[in-house]
């Protein structure tokens, strides 16, 4: 099967991020992760997340101790929930005693996700438990095509960086996809990413289900993709439509519909392209760069990322293995 072009990405910063696109709502950019609303994580105890801490492993044996402790990459431990800090600290101290390491965990200020990219690339880090892969040495002066490639039974997303012979390969890390989509984006551009906030002050409201026609007749909704609703209305109007639907549902508890509020965010914009594409992929401009979203061919799961290099050590390809 011939490679299919998914789209092109640009990377003005030279640092490229690969991550589950659905989890970009958690991205802190250059701000503290403490500013991210823990309610977005769907955890049972938001205060446990609010009190989370970042730590650096320090001391003469810091690197060896961190490597053998093997909790996160490098000498950094990010996003440890408040309730887990005593246990992790005690476990690390015991690990050092057992192996004769002189090292300790030192609490730091919360580390922005953009800074984590800079520290680890090429490598990976944790964002509220979500693995993120970062690649360094990406060309800053041109668009890079991303292809869907099938090698036997293995599906791949391949970022073509240079026309050169591949002589070495490095596993950079792996991402976990929980939203059936992945994103490839410039690290600096993501600082401007708006996952749920409308970028134009407008939104869509959609509903569907067994009793969608009854709800549409009662609310004056219009036919939209796979259901009914209102498209491209201002946010205040969208909120009023949601209240109208909620009132109808409360008055008719035996009637079944599902309701979705779709603010015109960056995520909405790129996913609109994805859903309309034969390759289930799409691109959008954010923060002076073009990023790409695509659906995974086999749903959710763990997917490794590799960098391939040429004879002079130059980056030739980046491969996301999709099963």
């Amino acid at each position: 099967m011939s490679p299919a072009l998914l789209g092109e990405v640009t990377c003005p910063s030279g640092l490229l991020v690969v991550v589950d696109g659905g989890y970009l709502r958690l991205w802190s950019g250059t701000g503290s992760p403490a500013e991210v609303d823990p309610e977005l994580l769907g955890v049972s105890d938001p205060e446990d997340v609010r009190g989370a801490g970042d730590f650096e492993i320090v001391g003469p044996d810091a690197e060896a101790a961190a490597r053998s402790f093997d909790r996160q990459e490098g000498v950094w431990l990010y996003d440890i929930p408040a309730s887990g800090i005593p246990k992790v600290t005690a476990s690390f101290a015991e690990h050092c005693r057992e192996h004769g390491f002189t090292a300790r965990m030192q609490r730091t200020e919360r580390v922005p996700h953009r800074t984590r990219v800079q520290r680890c690339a090429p490598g990976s880090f944790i964002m509220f438990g979500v693995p993120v892969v970062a690649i360094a040495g990406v060309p800053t002066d041109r668009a890079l095509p991303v292809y869907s490639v099938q090698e036997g039974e293995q599906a791949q997303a391949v970022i073509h960086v240079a026309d050169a012979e591949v002589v070495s390969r490095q596993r950079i890390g792996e991402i976990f996809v929980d939203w059936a989509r992945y994103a490839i984006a410039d690290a600096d551009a993501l600082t401007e990413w708006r996952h749920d906030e409308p970028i134009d002050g407008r939104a869509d409201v959609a509903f569907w289900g067994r009793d969608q026609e009854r709800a549409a007749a009662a609310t004056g909704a219009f036919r939209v993709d796979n259901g009914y609703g209102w498209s491209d209305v201002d946010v205040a109007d969208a909120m009023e439509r949601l209240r109208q639907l909620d009132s109808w549902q409360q008055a008719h508890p035996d009637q079944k519909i599902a309701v979705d509020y779709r603010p015109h965010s960056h995520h909405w914009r790129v996913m609109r392209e994805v859903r309309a594409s034969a390759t289930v992929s799409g691109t959008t401009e954010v923060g002076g760069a073009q990023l790409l979203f695509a659906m995974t061919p086999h749903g959710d799961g763990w997917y490794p990322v590799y960098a391939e290099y040429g004879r002079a050590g130059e980056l030739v390809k980046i491969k996301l293995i999709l099963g």
Side-chain angles (χ1 to χ4, degrees):
M1 183 182 296
S2 300
L5 181 65
L6 298 176
E8 294 183 330
V9 296
T10 58
C11 191
S13 72
L15 292 167
L16 201 63
V17 169
V18 184
V19 65
D20 180 330
Y23 280 121
L24 279 179
R25 61 166 38 93
L26 306 177
W27 190 263
S28 75
T30 56
S32 169
E35 298 171 6
V36 176
D37 184 357
E39 298 288 350
L40 296 175
L41 294 167
V43 295
S44 58
D45 184 4
E47 291 305 316
D48 202 29
V49 177
R50 289 191 178 94
D54 294 345
F55 292 81
E56 181 183 7
I57 296 174
V58 298
D61 302 318
E63 291 189 6
R67 186 166 51 250
S68 58
F69 192 53
D70 195 27
R71 294 299 190 275
Q72 295 184 31
E73 188 171 306
V75 297
W76 300 95
L77 298 172
Y78 299 123
D79 304 330
I80 300 177
S83 63
I85 290 174
K87 181 178 179 180
V88 173
T89 303
S91 179
F92 181 73
E94 176 59 29
H95 176 77
C96 289
R97 284 192 295 270
E98 180 181 345
H99 295 277
F101 293 131
T102 301
R104 60 186 175 85
M105 287 173 53
Q106 177 174 285
R107 191 160 187 166
T108 70
E109 295 291 328
R110 298 301 303 279
V111 180
H113 296 146
R114 176 61 179 85
T115 303
R116 298 183 192 188
V117 170
Q118 191 74 42
R119 286 177 175 175
C120 81
S124 63
F125 65 89
I126 294 297
M127 174 181 69
F128 297 109
V130 177
V132 180
V133 170
I135 301 101
V138 179
T140 62
D141 59 349
R142 63 182 184 275
L144 306 175
V146 183
Y147 295 98
S148 173
V149 177
Q150 191 74 31
E151 290 191 359
E153 296 184 357
Q154 186 182 82
Q156 304 177 0
V158 179
I159 305 170
H160 184 83
V161 179
D163 293 321
E165 179 187 5
V166 173
V167 299
S168 65
R169 189 187 202 205
Q170 177 187 359
R171 181 185 170 107
I172 303 299
E174 60 184 356
I175 63 170
F176 179 72
V177 174
D178 201 29
W179 290 83
R181 69 203 63 170
Y182 60 90
I184 301 171
D186 177 81
D188 281 348
L190 285 179
T191 298
E192 303 298 322
W193 178 259
R194 298 294 177 267
H195 196 89
D196 296 307
E197 302 88 355
I199 54 180
D200 60 359
R202 303 185 73 77
D204 300 344
V205 175
F207 61 90
W208 61 94
R210 187 190 70 190
D211 299 298
Q212 60 183 20
E213 283 80 11
R214 290 189 180 93
T219 60
F222 300 95
R223 188 75 189 182
V224 297
D225 293 343
N226 302 316
Y228 290 85
W230 300 268
S231 299
D232 195 27
V233 298
D234 65 55
V235 170
D237 190 15
M239 293 296 102
E240 179 57 35
R241 298 299 185 182
L242 288 171
R243 285 190 288 269
Q244 187 179 7
L245 286 169
D246 182 62
S247 296
W248 183 85
Q249 287 180 295
Q250 291 189 40
H252 303 84
D254 58 326
Q255 306 294 300
K256 303 298 182 183
I257 60 169
V259 180
D260 193 19
Y261 170 61
R262 300 170 180 171
H264 289 191
S265 63
H266 289 129
H267 184 247
W268 170 85
R269 189 167 67 185
V270 72
M271 287 305 297
R272 181 180 59 177
E273 299 294 323
V274 169
R275 294 185 181 103
S277 168
T279 56
V280 288
S281 61
T283 61
T284 192
E285 293 283 336
V286 179
Q290 181 163 285
L291 59 78
L292 179 141
F293 267 55
M295 305 302 287
T296 58
H298 302 297
D300 300 337
W302 290 91
Y303 300 117
V305 179
Y306 292 86
E308 296 184 342
Y309 299 94
R311 294 191 180 279
E314 75 278 21
L315 184 62
V316 176
K317 293 178 182 178
I318 302 164
K319 290 186 175 181
L320 173 61
I321 309 302
L322 295 166

